[in-house]
Amino acid sequence: MDDACRVKAEILDENAVARAITRISFEIIERNKGTDGLCLVGLFSRGAVLAQRIAAKIAENEGSEIPTGLLDITPFRDDERRGCSDDASRIDFDITDKRVVIIYDVIYTGRTARAAIDGLLSRGRPTLIQLAALIDRGHRELPIRADYIGKNLPTSRGEKVKVMVRELDGCDKVVIVG
């Protein structure tokens, strides 16, 4: 983290992140009545890490591997139109007629979720799409809500929430920076 981003508050430490991932995993299993027809798609980049962890936790508890992919929403964003964007998505399974859980780090305005849904629908027609977010900070601009939430975190629009994961940042925690 650079000097311009000073930590104002630590919201979740490593243990709290692990507990939130475990809770989300169990909620996904319970709501979907098991894992049959279930797949996870993490949003690049921290959502993909979280999706891998949730898939591992589900496999540990259910004894079955869950197809897990990575979705790059860049081509589907409504705030940055890019001419010829490379799609870095890696979804090596058919999502048609599957129950897909989109996983990402922070749900905020809902625009990322909308782009993710568009990205999924360009690849097939799932039976059901659900959303999971480690942090829900409110301030929706679209009528979208997460089905699974690690922590609700009311924030002001001026605050920034940063999710850090060991695989990319060297540690697991969630902080408010400013």
Side-chain angles (χ1 to χ4, degrees):
M1 194 176 318
D2 64 25
D3 292 333
C5 295
R6 302 209 188 277
V7 174
K8 292 168 106 175
E10 183 173 308
I11 305 306
L12 298 178
D13 63 12
E14 182 176 358
N15 290 330
V17 169
R19 283 191 303 273
I21 288 170
T22 297
R23 186 174 56 256
I24 290 169
S25 302
F26 280 113
E27 289 175 4
I28 289 171
I29 294 166
E30 184 176 336
R31 186 171 300 170
N32 289 284
K33 297 176 177 50
T35 61
D36 192 41
L38 184 66
C39 55
L40 307 179
V41 175
L43 301 188
F44 184 75
S45 62
R46 284 164 183 77
V49 171
L50 296 171
Q52 291 295 331
R53 291 187 191 180
I54 290 169
K57 187 60 77 175
I58 290 172
E60 176 185 316
N61 291 296
E62 290 293 298
S64 59
E65 298 293 320
I66 304 298
T68 306
L70 161 68
L71 181 64
D72 177 5
I73 64 160
T74 304
F76 303 96
R77 293 176 57 125
D78 63 3
D79 60 345
E80 294 180 19
R81 293 284 181 203
R82 297 185 182 174
C84 187
S85 178
D86 291 331
D87 186 351
S89 298
R90 289 189 305 269
I91 300 175
D92 302 327
F93 50 89
D94 186 8
I95 63 167
T96 300
D97 297 327
K98 299 285 195 272
R99 287 173 287 127
V100 180
V101 181
I102 298 169
I103 299 172
Y104 59 117
D105 54 358
V106 180
I107 187 168
Y108 181 37
T109 63
R111 293 186 182 279
T112 297
R114 189 225 32 95
I117 292 167
D118 287 351
L120 280 179
L121 294 176
S122 75
R123 289 168 167 76
R125 189 167 194 268
T127 301
L128 175 68
I129 298 174
Q130 299 172 334
L131 299 174
L134 185 61
I135 302 293
D136 183 345
R137 62 175 292 196
H139 303 289
R140 294 300 182 282
E141 295 174 3
L142 299 174
I144 291 175
R145 67 170 180 78
D147 298 281
Y148 312 101
I149 299 166
K151 181 166 183 63
N152 285 298
L153 180 62
T155 60
S156 71
R157 286 193 177 271
E159 292 177 310
K160 292 185 192 271
V161 175
K162 180 159 180 62
V163 172
M164 292 181 259
V165 293
R166 185 179 338 98
E167 295 85 341
L168 301 174
D169 306 299
C171 64
D172 287 341
K173 64 180 166 180
V174 177
V175 296
I176 295 178
V177 295

